[in-house]
Amino acid sequence: MTCFNLLDPQPGHTVYDPTSGSGGMLVESAHHVAQLPNGTIAGQPNILLYGQEKNLGTWAIGKLNLYLHNMRAELERGDTLVQPPAP
């Protein structure tokens, strides 16, 4: 059982990773949703992806990872504990 079976994001959901690192959880969440009925819209996973990463190098790798997987996501730079994103 993978963590995505536990989380089980569904089409239309929003996934937020407060410590996104290289963006792996966001990519896998999108892949999970894309395999479900109504999981894609115009070829893109039907899910909103958000993340935040403090480390500049890791943030850049995350942005590149999402880009290479042709996924749209809002990946912000910042410390989630000190500066959590506004709701």
Side-chain angles (χ1 to χ4, degrees):
M1 177 180 290
T2 67
C3 66
F4 304 102
N5 292 347
L6 295 173
L7 294 173
D8 195 25
Q10 297 294 307
H13 280 183
T14 298
V15 173
Y16 171 67
D17 186 354
T19 54
S20 60
S22 63
M25 188 187 89
L26 298 174
V27 169
E28 290 303 319
S29 293
H31 283 161
H32 174 80
V33 167
Q35 295 175 3
L36 300 173
N38 299 317
T40 60
I41 296 176
Q44 290 290 316
N46 182 11
I47 190 167
L48 298 173
L49 303 172
Y50 296 93
Q52 187 167 340
E53 177 56 45
K54 177 181 177 181
N55 181 284
L56 174 62
T58 307
W59 170 82
I61 292 169
K63 295 283 276 190
L64 182 60
N65 190 17
L66 291 160
Y67 175 78
L68 291 174
H69 283 91
N70 194 29
M71 295 186 181
R72 298 177 189 162
E74 293 292 326
L75 189 58
E76 301 294 328
R77 280 201 56 228
D79 187 330
T80 301
L81 296 176
V82 176
Q83 292 177 309

